[in-house]
Amino acid sequence: MTDKNKKYEDLRSARWMAPDNLRASGHRSRQMQMGYSPEEWVGKPIIAIINTWSDAQPCHAHFKNRVEAVKRGVWQAGGFPMELPALSLSESFVKPTTMMYRNLLAMETEELLRSHPVDGVVLMGGCDKTTPALAMGAVSMGLPFIYMPAGPMLRGNYAGKTLGSGTDAWKYWDERRAGTISVKEWQGVEGGINRSYGTCMTMGTASTMTAIADAMGLSFTGASSIPAADSGHKRMAAACGSRAVDMVWEDLTPNKIITPEAINNAVVVAMATGCSTNAIIHLLAMAQRAGINLSLEDLDAVSRTTPVIANVRPTGDEYLMEDFFYAGGLPALMKTLGSKLDLNTLTVSGRTLGTELEGAEVFNDDVIRPLENPVYHEGSLAVLKGNLAPNGAVIKPAACDKKYHQHSGPALVANSYEELKAIVDDPDYPMTPDTVLVLRNAGPQGAGMPEWGMLPMPKALLKLGQRDMLRLSDARMSGTSFGACVLHVAPESYIGGPLALLKTGDIITLDVDKRILNMEVSEEELAKRQKAWVAPPPRYERGYGYAFNKHVEQADKGCDFDFLRTDFGAPVPDPDIH
């Protein structure tokens, strides 16, 4: 048992449960209605377990089982567990995009914790948006919390070949569209690519974000690397429940863990893992929720000095998250980064990151490379600016053909995904390998910012043997994707950003080394086009979509709602209990 900095009467839940009045009597009576005796909760912290399980969430299919392990840990440490289901945000099934609902889960998490008699929380997530959403909501609430990552699934397999979720789906789909594989072979890929519960086992957005939470100190150090199907994952889940109880008694709140140094550690680790482009949006939003300033420029500066050392697809060329775990996992990668990290930051264990990394070791230095033999000489991402993206855009140079790091070519513009499909599915559409394929009206307000940014390769180029081209949009792309894709163009076209003024045939120039993204159009001509631009009709006129478009910020600000920012208004007090 940990040293206690609090007494029972200091606990938040005691406001609901302890007073000798009618309202508290009703709370106690309702607990007894569920079969609990007073001795099961009196004198104990109540630990919320925010569970994002659902029948539409394959990444969290094991959470029905894992929540029981978390509860076991809570009971063993002398706490009282209270499971609170929340949005599952299934990347596989939710349309138009889970990005529209990240902030909704963040709000739900914050309000679930505020409105219930809980003292601390275990956050159960893993699928792409669940990690940032749960953390954002819990940080805004301010209660002690520990994050329990879902873990990556097992390696995919088909016909003796190792398959990576997402990454190989895109690759084989291009081959099917090119006519080089049969329907039967494609169906074999479908059946073999996702072999167990758990998140994508490539270094996609899910593994990126759980690694970020891990490096930030929000989970047990190394928890993010444990495969979902490994028995150690269940043991880790129970340990999360137990640790949450002690964190309450220690009053280990998130503001003591999430410091500027911890945020920087997370950025460094993200860049070294070959992270998803989505990391940028979520890191910006998470930092802001903690009241810490983080900008695109800060992220790019770290990327300039942090090599990619995780040889995991899609940035790497062979290995998957299961291999990464066997090679030593995130602790081994962080140990390799050495002085690039601040090892004095605090973790949920109550110990420093440096202490947690003692004994960490690399067991396969081709999976986790030494700094002098990186997968890529800089970090995973680069932030671009210019007259096409004055507030910034993002590219993943480590995961595309180097010949596109400096490129100039004519734009081919689609105003909607339907227009895009007509272009890419026409085997005779006029274009060349130099063409820059552009999709607009796919940003936060234009479409909720879906993962449309890995624009399909046009059949007209596939038949020529071309497997990459420069593509550009204000959308996002899956972290499992690859290719020369410029994303998150800000401001977005839907609100009249410069991307809205681009015309087919305009020359686009990209220079990754110089971080430049321009359209070769004069200021005078752009001014004429801006004057003639007509705003599109509202996308939503009622419901959540209406509220989303009214309040969502642009990609360079993290796409949080403006009213959820830390600096928006006074802190929300605990509820009155009468």
Side-chain angles (χ1 to χ4, degrees), residues 95-97 99-104 107 443-449 492 494 537-553 561 563:
K95 299 294 182 287
T97 168
M99 191 62 200
M100 275 195 69
Y101 303 104
R102 182 200 69 180
N103 297 345
L104 187 59
M107 291 172 67
Q445 292 190 38
M449 210 174 183
E492 65 177 304
Y494 184 84
R539 184 167 177 82
Y540 297 99
E541 296 191 18
R542 64 167 301 280
Y544 176 72
Y546 177 85
F548 181 92
N549 273 15
K550 286 287 184 184
H551 295 287
V552 70
E553 297 187 310
F561 288 156
F563 63 86

Side-chain angles (χ1 to χ4, degrees), residues 135-422:
M136 288 159 66
V139 165
S140 291
M141 182 57 200
L143 296 181
F145 76 83
I146 185 170
Y147 180 71
M148 193 219 79
M153 70 175 92
L154 300 178
R155 302 184 193 95
N157 183 276
Y158 168 66
K161 296 178 181 178
T162 298
L163 300 179
S165 48
T167 302
D168 281 309
W170 317 128
K171 183 179 78 173
Y172 281 99
W173 183 246
D174 275 350
E175 297 308 319
R176 185 177 172 202
R177 293 175 68 241
T180 63
I181 65 171
S182 67
V183 173
K184 183 177 180 181
E185 288 172 309
W186 172 250
Q187 289 171 342
V189 172
E190 279 185 352
I193 201 165
N194 302 308
R195 293 178 45 241
S196 77
Y197 48 74
T199 60
C200 291
M201 80 308 256
T202 46
M203 187 57 74
T205 305
S207 289
T208 291
M209 294 313 302
T210 56
I212 283 171
D214 196 329
M216 207 178 290
L218 305 182
S219 68
F220 285 124
T221 303
S224 62
S225 305
I226 305 172
D230 193 291
S231 61
H233 192 273
K234 187 179 288 189
R235 295 192 293 273
M236 180 269 292
C240 285
S242 178
R243 180 60 193 150
V245 176
D246 289 346
M247 289 176 71
V248 170
W249 290 126
E250 294 167 14
D251 198 29
L252 186 50
T253 48
N255 61 301
K256 299 172 184 175
I257 297 172
I258 307 177
T259 61
E261 294 77 16
I263 292 287
N264 190 70
N265 283 348
V267 175
V268 170
V269 166
M271 295 303 172
T273 60
C275 66
S276 163
T277 50
N278 291 300
I280 284 187
I281 287 179
H282 301 318
L283 273 165
L284 291 168
M286 292 169 72
Q288 170 56 40
R289 286 298 187 99
I292 295 168
N293 291 323
L294 183 68
S295 68
L296 288 177
E297 290 73 19
D298 296 329
L299 290 157
D300 191 65
V302 172
S303 183
R304 289 281 198 181
T305 59
T306 307
V308 176
I309 59 173
N311 188 14
V312 179
R313 300 182 200 176
T315 302
D317 57 7
E318 181 176 355
Y319 301 109
L320 297 170
M321 288 301 296
E322 193 175 341
D323 306 294
F324 182 71
F325 175 64
Y326 300 145
L330 200 69
L333 180 138
M334 290 194 284
K335 190 72 173 276
T336 302
L337 288 169
S339 62
K340 292 182 180 294
L341 299 177
D342 187 325
L343 300 181
N344 294 314
T345 57
L346 198 61
T347 75
V348 291
S349 70
R351 298 182 291 270
T352 66
L353 180 62
T355 300
E356 293 299 318
L357 294 181
E358 289 177 3
E361 186 178 349
V362 174
F363 300 111
N364 185 330
D365 64 5
D366 191 40
V367 180
I368 301 173
R369 299 277 188 87
L371 292 172
E372 60 272 16
N373 182 33
V375 176
Y376 184 70
H377 66 285
E378 289 189 359
S380 181
L381 310 178
V383 175
L384 312 168
K385 288 195 174 182
N387 68 351
L388 192 51
N391 292 350
V394 179
I395 190 171
K396 191 172 183 178
C400 73
D401 193 319
K402 289 183 180 179
K403 70 182 180 182
Y404 293 107
H405 288 193
Q406 284 80 36
H407 184 84
S408 187
L412 175 54
V413 181
N415 289 304
S416 68
Y417 206 86
E418 290 73 20
E419 284 187 26
L420 177 72
K421 281 181 63 64

Side-chain angles (χ1 to χ4, degrees), residues 41-54:
W41 76 78
V42 172
K44 300 177 180 181
I46 296 180
I47 303 300
I49 305 171
I50 305 292
N51 187 355
T52 51
W53 173 89
S54 86

